[in-house]
Amino acid sequence: MLFQVYGENSIYQILGWVMVFLALILTNEIQRRSRIGGFAFFIALPIALTVYFAAIYISAAAGADWALNNQTYVHMNSWFHYAKLYAATAGCIGFMLLKYKKWIGKTDWFKVWPFLIVTINIMIAVCSDFESAIKGAAALRETGSRWWLSSENVWVYGGWWNILNGMAGIINIFCMTGWWGIYSSKKHDDMLWPDMTWVYILAYDVWNFEYTYLNLPTHAWYCGLALLLAPTFAAMFWNKGGWIQNRANTLATWCMFAQVFPLFQDASIFTVLPVLYADGVMDAAVHPTAANPVPGGVIACLSILINVAALALIAKRAREQGKNPYKNEIFVGTRDYEEAMARAE
Protein backbone atom coordinates (compact mmCIF):
# COMPACT_ATOMS: atom_id res chain seq x y z
CA MET A 1 0.00 0.00 0.00
CA LEU A 2 1.05 3.58 -0.66
CA PHE A 3 -1.18 5.17 1.96
CA GLN A 4 -2.25 4.48 5.53
CA VAL A 5 -5.93 3.88 4.79
CA TYR A 6 -7.06 1.64 7.61
CA GLY A 7 -8.41 1.82 11.12
CA GLU A 8 -11.46 3.60 12.48
CA ASN A 9 -11.20 6.52 10.04
CA SER A 10 -10.78 4.43 6.88
CA ILE A 11 -14.41 4.81 5.83
CA TYR A 12 -14.09 8.60 6.12
CA GLN A 13 -10.79 8.58 4.23
CA ILE A 14 -12.37 6.69 1.33
CA LEU A 15 -15.49 8.85 1.50
CA GLY A 16 -13.35 11.99 1.42
CA TRP A 17 -11.54 10.75 -1.69
CA VAL A 18 -14.81 9.95 -3.47
CA MET A 19 -16.26 13.35 -2.57
CA VAL A 20 -13.20 15.19 -3.90
CA PHE A 21 -13.11 13.09 -7.09
CA LEU A 22 -16.81 13.64 -7.86
CA ALA A 23 -16.73 17.33 -6.90
CA LEU A 24 -13.81 17.95 -9.27
CA ILE A 25 -15.60 16.20 -12.12
CA LEU A 26 -18.80 18.15 -11.45
CA THR A 27 -17.12 21.56 -11.20
CA ASN A 28 -15.10 20.82 -14.35
CA GLU A 29 -18.32 20.16 -16.25
CA ILE A 30 -19.77 23.48 -15.04
CA GLN A 31 -16.60 25.34 -15.97
CA ARG A 32 -16.24 23.84 -19.45
CA ARG A 33 -19.89 23.93 -20.49
CA SER A 34 -20.79 27.41 -19.21
CA ARG A 35 -19.18 30.77 -19.96
CA ILE A 36 -20.63 32.13 -16.73
CA GLY A 37 -19.23 29.15 -14.83
CA GLY A 38 -15.77 29.68 -16.30
CA PHE A 39 -15.84 33.41 -15.55
CA ALA A 40 -17.05 32.82 -11.98
CA PHE A 41 -14.42 30.17 -11.16
CA PHE A 42 -11.37 31.57 -12.95
CA ILE A 43 -11.80 35.35 -12.88
CA ALA A 44 -14.25 36.45 -10.18
CA LEU A 45 -13.26 33.89 -7.53
CA PRO A 46 -9.46 34.36 -7.92
CA ILE A 47 -9.89 38.14 -7.62
CA ALA A 48 -11.88 37.69 -4.41
CA LEU A 49 -9.32 35.21 -3.04
CA THR A 50 -6.44 37.54 -3.87
CA VAL A 51 -8.08 40.24 -1.76
CA TYR A 52 -8.58 37.68 1.02
CA PHE A 53 -4.96 36.48 0.88
CA ALA A 54 -3.65 40.06 0.91
CA ALA A 55 -5.83 40.87 3.92
CA ILE A 56 -4.44 37.84 5.78
CA TYR A 57 -0.79 38.75 5.23
CA ILE A 58 -1.25 42.48 5.87
CA SER A 59 -3.12 41.71 9.08
CA ALA A 60 -0.56 39.09 10.12
CA ALA A 61 2.23 41.63 9.64
CA ALA A 62 0.29 43.95 11.92
CA GLY A 63 0.04 41.21 14.55
CA ALA A 64 -3.70 40.46 14.25
CA ASP A 65 -4.54 37.16 15.96
CA TRP A 66 -7.20 36.18 13.41
CA ALA A 67 -4.60 36.33 10.64
CA LEU A 68 -1.72 34.75 12.57
CA ASN A 69 -3.97 31.78 13.39
CA ASN A 70 -5.67 31.62 10.00
CA GLN A 71 -5.59 28.17 8.32
CA THR A 72 -4.15 29.59 5.12
CA TYR A 73 -1.43 31.54 6.91
CA VAL A 74 -0.36 28.62 9.10
CA HIS A 75 -0.73 25.64 6.77
CA MET A 76 -0.43 26.99 3.19
CA ASN A 77 2.29 29.60 3.24
CA SER A 78 4.92 28.16 0.88
CA TRP A 79 5.78 29.79 -2.44
CA PHE A 80 4.79 26.60 -4.26
CA HIS A 81 1.08 26.71 -3.43
CA TYR A 82 0.62 30.31 -4.52
CA ALA A 83 2.68 29.83 -7.67
CA LYS A 84 0.65 26.75 -8.59
CA LEU A 85 -2.69 28.42 -7.91
CA TYR A 86 -2.04 31.47 -10.08
CA ALA A 87 -0.21 29.58 -12.83
CA ALA A 88 -3.09 27.09 -13.14
CA THR A 89 -5.65 29.91 -13.14
CA ALA A 90 -3.71 31.75 -15.85
CA GLY A 91 -3.83 28.57 -17.89
CA CYS A 92 -7.59 28.29 -17.49
CA ILE A 93 -8.13 31.88 -18.63
CA GLY A 94 -5.92 31.35 -21.68
CA PHE A 95 -7.72 28.14 -22.54
CA MET A 96 -11.07 29.95 -22.40
CA LEU A 97 -9.76 32.58 -24.82
CA LEU A 98 -8.70 29.83 -27.20
CA LYS A 99 -11.90 27.80 -27.08
CA TYR A 100 -14.16 30.85 -27.41
CA LYS A 101 -11.77 32.48 -29.92
CA LYS A 102 -11.82 35.79 -28.11
CA TRP A 103 -9.20 38.56 -28.26
CA ILE A 104 -5.74 36.96 -28.62
CA GLY A 105 -7.46 33.56 -28.62
CA LYS A 106 -8.24 34.20 -32.30
CA THR A 107 -4.57 34.42 -33.28
CA ASP A 108 -2.36 31.55 -34.42
CA TRP A 109 0.61 32.59 -32.30
CA PHE A 110 -1.38 32.24 -29.07
CA LYS A 111 -1.90 28.54 -29.79
CA VAL A 112 1.47 27.95 -28.16
CA TRP A 113 0.04 29.17 -24.83
CA PRO A 114 -1.03 25.68 -23.60
CA PHE A 115 2.52 24.41 -24.08
CA LEU A 116 4.02 27.41 -22.30
CA ILE A 117 1.68 27.32 -19.30
CA VAL A 118 2.05 23.56 -18.83
CA THR A 119 5.83 23.97 -19.03
CA ILE A 120 5.71 26.67 -16.36
CA ASN A 121 3.60 24.47 -14.10
CA ILE A 122 5.94 21.52 -14.58
CA MET A 123 9.02 23.63 -13.87
CA ILE A 124 7.46 24.94 -10.65
CA ALA A 125 7.17 21.33 -9.48
CA VAL A 126 10.65 20.41 -10.77
CA CYS A 127 12.19 23.27 -8.78
CA SER A 128 10.30 22.11 -5.70
CA ASP A 129 11.57 18.54 -6.23
CA PHE A 130 15.17 19.72 -6.46
CA GLU A 131 14.64 21.93 -3.40
CA SER A 132 13.51 18.88 -1.43
CA ALA A 133 16.58 16.92 -2.55
CA ILE A 134 18.92 19.75 -1.53
CA LYS A 135 17.29 20.25 1.87
CA GLY A 136 17.20 16.50 2.47
CA ALA A 137 20.94 16.31 1.76
CA ALA A 138 21.59 19.25 4.08
CA ALA A 139 19.54 17.61 6.84
CA LEU A 140 21.46 14.36 6.38
CA ARG A 141 24.77 16.16 6.90
CA GLU A 142 23.51 18.05 9.95
CA THR A 143 21.35 15.47 11.72
CA GLY A 144 22.08 12.13 10.09
CA SER A 145 18.50 11.98 8.78
CA ARG A 146 16.95 13.12 5.51
CA TRP A 147 13.88 14.58 7.23
CA TRP A 148 13.48 18.36 6.89
CA LEU A 149 10.63 20.53 8.16
CA SER A 150 8.89 22.68 5.54
CA SER A 151 7.60 26.21 6.17
CA GLU A 152 4.15 24.63 6.50
CA ASN A 153 5.36 22.40 9.35
CA VAL A 154 5.33 19.18 7.31
CA TRP A 155 8.21 16.70 7.57
CA VAL A 156 9.51 15.91 4.08
CA TYR A 157 12.02 13.16 3.28
CA GLY A 158 14.34 14.43 0.53
CA GLY A 159 16.69 12.26 -1.48
CA TRP A 160 17.78 10.92 -4.86
CA TRP A 161 14.17 10.07 -5.67
CA ASN A 162 13.46 13.81 -5.90
CA ILE A 163 16.30 14.32 -8.35
CA LEU A 164 15.16 11.40 -10.49
CA ASN A 165 11.58 12.65 -10.55
CA GLY A 166 12.71 16.20 -11.29
CA MET A 167 14.58 14.88 -14.31
CA ALA A 168 11.44 12.99 -15.37
CA GLY A 169 9.51 16.26 -15.19
CA ILE A 170 11.98 17.97 -17.51
CA ILE A 171 11.72 15.07 -19.97
CA ASN A 172 7.92 15.31 -19.71
CA ILE A 173 8.09 18.84 -21.15
CA PHE A 174 9.61 17.44 -24.34
CA CYS A 175 6.86 14.81 -24.54
CA MET A 176 4.34 17.53 -25.46
CA THR A 177 3.98 17.45 -29.25
CA GLY A 178 2.09 19.44 -31.87
CA TRP A 179 2.32 22.73 -29.96
CA TRP A 180 0.28 24.61 -32.53
CA GLY A 181 -2.30 21.82 -32.95
CA ILE A 182 -4.88 23.54 -30.75
CA TYR A 183 -8.57 23.60 -31.73
CA SER A 184 -11.94 24.65 -30.41
CA SER A 185 -14.67 22.03 -30.20
CA LYS A 186 -17.75 22.33 -32.38
CA LYS A 187 -19.84 23.37 -29.37
CA HIS A 188 -17.13 25.75 -28.13
CA ASP A 189 -17.17 24.01 -24.76
CA ASP A 190 -13.63 22.64 -24.98
CA MET A 191 -10.17 23.61 -26.06
CA LEU A 192 -8.76 20.52 -27.75
CA TRP A 193 -5.17 19.35 -28.04
CA PRO A 194 -5.58 16.14 -30.07
CA ASP A 195 -1.88 15.26 -30.15
CA MET A 196 -1.86 15.01 -26.36
CA THR A 197 -2.90 11.35 -26.33
CA TRP A 198 -2.81 8.66 -23.64
CA VAL A 199 0.98 8.46 -24.12
CA TYR A 200 1.50 11.90 -22.66
CA ILE A 201 -1.29 11.62 -20.11
CA LEU A 202 0.23 8.45 -18.63
CA ALA A 203 3.73 9.93 -18.48
CA TYR A 204 2.42 13.13 -16.87
CA ASP A 205 0.17 11.41 -14.33
CA VAL A 206 2.90 9.09 -13.05
CA TRP A 207 5.41 11.95 -12.81
CA ASN A 208 2.97 14.31 -11.10
CA PHE A 209 1.71 11.69 -8.67
CA GLU A 210 5.29 11.03 -7.62
CA TYR A 211 5.86 14.75 -7.20
CA THR A 212 2.93 15.06 -4.79
CA TYR A 213 3.86 11.84 -2.99
CA LEU A 214 7.37 13.12 -2.31
CA ASN A 215 6.80 16.82 -1.70
CA LEU A 216 3.19 17.12 -0.54
CA PRO A 217 2.99 13.85 1.38
CA THR A 218 0.13 14.82 3.67
CA HIS A 219 -1.95 15.91 0.66
CA ALA A 220 -1.06 13.23 -1.89
CA TRP A 221 -4.16 11.09 -1.28
CA TYR A 222 -6.21 13.93 -2.72
CA CYS A 223 -3.95 16.06 -4.95
CA GLY A 224 -1.97 13.03 -6.08
CA LEU A 225 -4.79 10.58 -6.78
CA ALA A 226 -8.23 12.22 -6.90
CA LEU A 227 -6.99 15.39 -8.59
CA LEU A 228 -5.06 13.51 -11.27
CA LEU A 229 -7.67 10.86 -11.96
CA ALA A 230 -10.63 13.27 -12.30
CA PRO A 231 -9.42 14.94 -15.55
CA THR A 232 -8.07 11.66 -16.89
CA PHE A 233 -11.41 9.94 -16.27
CA ALA A 234 -13.27 12.69 -18.15
CA ALA A 235 -10.82 12.57 -21.06
CA MET A 236 -11.13 8.80 -21.33
CA PHE A 237 -14.90 8.61 -21.45
CA TRP A 238 -16.53 11.78 -22.81
CA ASN A 239 -14.05 14.58 -23.42
CA LYS A 240 -11.52 13.27 -25.92
CA GLY A 241 -8.80 15.79 -26.65
CA GLY A 242 -9.80 17.97 -23.70
CA TRP A 243 -7.51 16.46 -21.07
CA ILE A 244 -5.23 19.48 -20.63
CA GLN A 245 -8.24 21.77 -20.17
CA ASN A 246 -9.72 19.31 -17.66
CA ARG A 247 -6.39 19.20 -15.83
CA ALA A 248 -6.07 22.98 -15.61
CA ASN A 249 -9.67 23.44 -14.47
CA THR A 250 -9.52 20.81 -11.75
CA LEU A 251 -6.04 21.90 -10.61
CA ALA A 252 -7.04 25.56 -10.23
CA THR A 253 -10.26 24.59 -8.45
CA TRP A 254 -8.48 22.29 -6.02
CA CYS A 255 -5.72 24.81 -5.32
CA MET A 256 -8.32 27.42 -4.39
CA PHE A 257 -10.16 25.02 -2.10
CA ALA A 258 -7.01 23.68 -0.46
CA GLN A 259 -5.60 27.16 0.06
CA VAL A 260 -8.69 28.25 2.01
CA PHE A 261 -9.56 24.97 3.75
CA PRO A 262 -6.23 23.15 4.30
CA LEU A 263 -7.40 21.44 7.48
CA PHE A 264 -9.62 19.16 5.38
CA GLN A 265 -6.39 17.39 4.41
CA ASP A 266 -4.19 18.24 7.36
CA ALA A 267 -6.28 17.71 10.49
CA SER A 268 -9.63 16.03 10.06
CA ILE A 269 -11.22 12.60 9.88
CA PHE A 270 -10.45 12.75 6.14
CA THR A 271 -6.69 13.14 6.63
CA VAL A 272 -4.55 10.42 5.00
CA LEU A 273 -0.82 9.88 5.45
CA PRO A 274 1.46 7.97 3.07
CA VAL A 275 3.40 4.97 4.34
CA LEU A 276 6.50 7.19 4.25
CA TYR A 277 5.66 8.08 7.85
CA ALA A 278 6.61 4.71 9.30
CA ASP A 279 5.82 5.99 12.80
CA GLY A 280 2.19 6.32 11.74
CA VAL A 281 1.95 10.04 12.54
CA MET A 282 3.07 13.41 11.21
CA ASP A 283 3.66 15.81 14.08
CA ALA A 284 5.63 18.97 13.34
CA ALA A 285 6.78 19.12 16.95
CA VAL A 286 8.26 15.62 16.89
CA HIS A 287 11.12 14.67 14.58
CA PRO A 288 10.23 11.38 12.83
CA THR A 289 12.30 8.43 13.97
CA ALA A 290 11.60 6.14 11.01
CA ALA A 291 10.82 6.39 7.31
CA ASN A 292 9.63 4.10 4.54
CA PRO A 293 11.02 5.68 1.35
CA VAL A 294 10.76 2.49 -0.74
CA PRO A 295 7.43 3.32 -2.50
CA GLY A 296 8.70 6.80 -3.38
CA GLY A 297 11.94 5.37 -4.75
CA VAL A 298 10.15 2.75 -6.84
CA ILE A 299 7.69 5.27 -8.30
CA ALA A 300 10.56 7.68 -9.08
CA CYS A 301 12.19 4.95 -11.17
CA LEU A 302 8.90 4.24 -12.93
CA SER A 303 8.40 7.96 -13.52
CA ILE A 304 11.63 8.48 -15.39
CA LEU A 305 11.40 5.15 -17.26
CA ILE A 306 7.88 5.90 -18.51
CA ASN A 307 8.81 9.43 -19.56
CA VAL A 308 11.93 8.22 -21.38
CA ALA A 309 9.82 5.55 -23.13
CA ALA A 310 7.24 8.17 -24.15
CA LEU A 311 9.96 10.44 -25.54
CA ALA A 312 11.50 7.51 -27.42
CA LEU A 313 8.12 6.67 -28.99
CA ILE A 314 7.69 10.31 -30.01
CA ALA A 315 11.16 10.36 -31.60
CA LYS A 316 10.39 7.13 -33.46
CA ARG A 317 7.07 8.42 -34.86
CA ALA A 318 8.62 11.77 -35.79
CA ARG A 319 11.47 10.07 -37.64
CA GLU A 320 9.13 7.69 -39.47
CA GLN A 321 6.89 10.57 -40.56
CA GLY A 322 9.72 12.98 -41.29
CA LYS A 323 8.17 15.62 -39.03
CA ASN A 324 9.28 18.03 -36.37
CA PRO A 325 7.22 16.71 -33.43
CA TYR A 326 6.78 20.17 -31.92
CA LYS A 327 5.72 22.05 -35.04
CA ASN A 328 3.61 19.17 -36.32
CA GLU A 329 1.14 16.65 -34.94
CA ILE A 330 2.63 13.16 -34.96
CA PHE A 331 -0.15 11.05 -33.47
CA VAL A 332 -2.35 11.44 -36.54
CA GLY A 333 -4.06 8.13 -37.25
CA THR A 334 -4.17 6.94 -33.65
CA ARG A 335 -7.58 6.40 -32.07
CA ASP A 336 -7.19 9.12 -29.44
CA TYR A 337 -6.16 11.69 -32.03
CA GLU A 338 -8.91 10.86 -34.49
CA GLU A 339 -11.64 10.82 -31.83
CA ALA A 340 -10.47 14.23 -30.61
CA MET A 341 -10.36 15.68 -34.14
CA ALA A 342 -13.91 14.43 -34.77
CA ARG A 343 -14.98 16.88 -32.06
CA ALA A 344 -13.00 19.82 -33.45
CA GLU A 345 -14.65 22.75 -35.21
Side-chain angles (χ1 to χ4, degrees), residues 165-207:
N165 198 56
M167 293 169 59
I170 295 172
I171 295 171
N172 189 257
I173 293 171
F174 294 95
C175 291
M176 288 185 280
T177 59
W179 297 351
W180 276 266
I182 304 298
Y183 306 86
S184 176
S185 64
K186 294 172 183 176
K187 296 181 180 180
H188 290 269
D189 52 359
D190 291 308
M191 184 206 76
L192 304 176
W193 191 343
D195 221 42
M196 191 169 270
T197 64
W198 69 268
V199 175
Y200 182 79
I201 296 171
L202 174 64
Y204 179 96
D205 279 359
V206 174
W207 161 75

Side-chain angles (χ1 to χ4, degrees), residues 16-297:
W17 190 94
V18 172
M19 288 192 302
V20 169
F21 178 75
L22 294 178
L24 289 172
I25 288 179
L26 177 61
T27 52
N28 180 52
E29 291 304 304
I30 295 171
Q31 293 152 358
R32 60 179 281 263
R33 295 174 184 271
S34 165
R35 293 192 185 207
I36 295 176
F39 180 89
F41 273 93
F42 304 128
I43 297 178
L45 185 55
I47 290 173
L49 287 178
T50 299
V51 174
Y52 174 64
F53 297 148
I56 291 173
Y57 281 87
I58 291 172
S59 298
D65 286 342
W66 78 267
L68 291 171
N69 296 310
N70 183 277
Q71 293 183 43
T72 298
Y73 186 78
V74 175
H75 295 272
M76 300 291 280
N77 55 46
S78 80
W79 67 268
F80 171 81
H81 292 294
Y82 285 100
K84 202 69 174 177
L85 189 160
Y86 287 105
T89 302
C92 295
I93 294 171
F95 296 172
M96 286 194 295
L97 292 175
L98 284 164
K99 77 175 182 179
Y100 294 131
K101 296 186 177 179
K102 297 294 184 180
W103 191 37
I104 56 176
K106 295 185 289 187
T107 64
D108 283 336
W109 65 265
F110 192 65
K111 289 182 177 181
V112 78
W113 175 249
F115 166 75
L116 289 175
I117 198 66
V118 176
T119 297
I120 290 170
N121 273 274
I122 290 174
M123 287 307 301
I124 289 171
V126 168
C127 289
S128 182
D129 242 332
F130 290 158
E131 179 186 39
S132 290
I134 292 169
K135 290 187 174 181
L140 182 63
R141 289 193 300 270
E142 295 172 6
T143 68
S145 169
R146 293 184 178 276
W147 290 109
W148 62 276
L149 189 64
S150 75
S151 63
E152 296 170 343
N153 291 316
V154 174
W155 289 104
V156 180
Y157 200 73
W160 60 264
W161 34 84
N162 293 101
I163 297 173
L164 208 59
N165 198 56
M167 293 169 59
I170 295 172
I171 295 171
N172 189 257
I173 293 171
F174 294 95
C175 291
M176 288 185 280
T177 59
W179 297 351
W180 276 266
I182 304 298
Y183 306 86
S184 176
S185 64
K186 294 172 183 176
K187 296 181 180 180
H188 290 269
D189 52 359
D190 291 308
M191 184 206 76
L192 304 176
W193 191 343
D195 221 42
M196 191 169 270
T197 64
W198 69 268
V199 175
Y200 182 79
I201 296 171
L202 174 64
Y204 179 96
D205 279 359
V206 174
W207 161 75
N208 195 263
F209 172 77
E210 173 68 347
Y211 169 77
T212 64
Y213 196 77
L214 295 177
N215 302 280
L216 305 171
T218 58
H219 296 176
W221 175 246
Y222 296 106
C223 71
L225 280 182
L227 178 56
L228 281 170
L229 290 178
T232 299
F233 186 83
M236 286 175 57
F237 292 103
W238 65 82
N239 192 6
K240 286 289 184 180
W243 175 82
I244 192 59
Q245 176 190 260
N246 300 341
R247 169 60 178 165
N249 288 356
T250 53
L251 176 59
T253 301
W254 177 252
C255 286
M256 287 185 271
F257 172 81
Q259 199 73 5
V260 178
F261 303 106
L263 293 184
F264 173 83
Q265 301 176 96
D266 291 339
S268 76
I269 57 175
F270 302 110
T271 298
V272 176
L273 295 177
V275 296
L276 169 67
Y277 299 103
D279 293 331
V281 296
M282 203 306 295
D283 185 346
V286 180
H287 194 292
T289 59
N292 179 9
V294 174

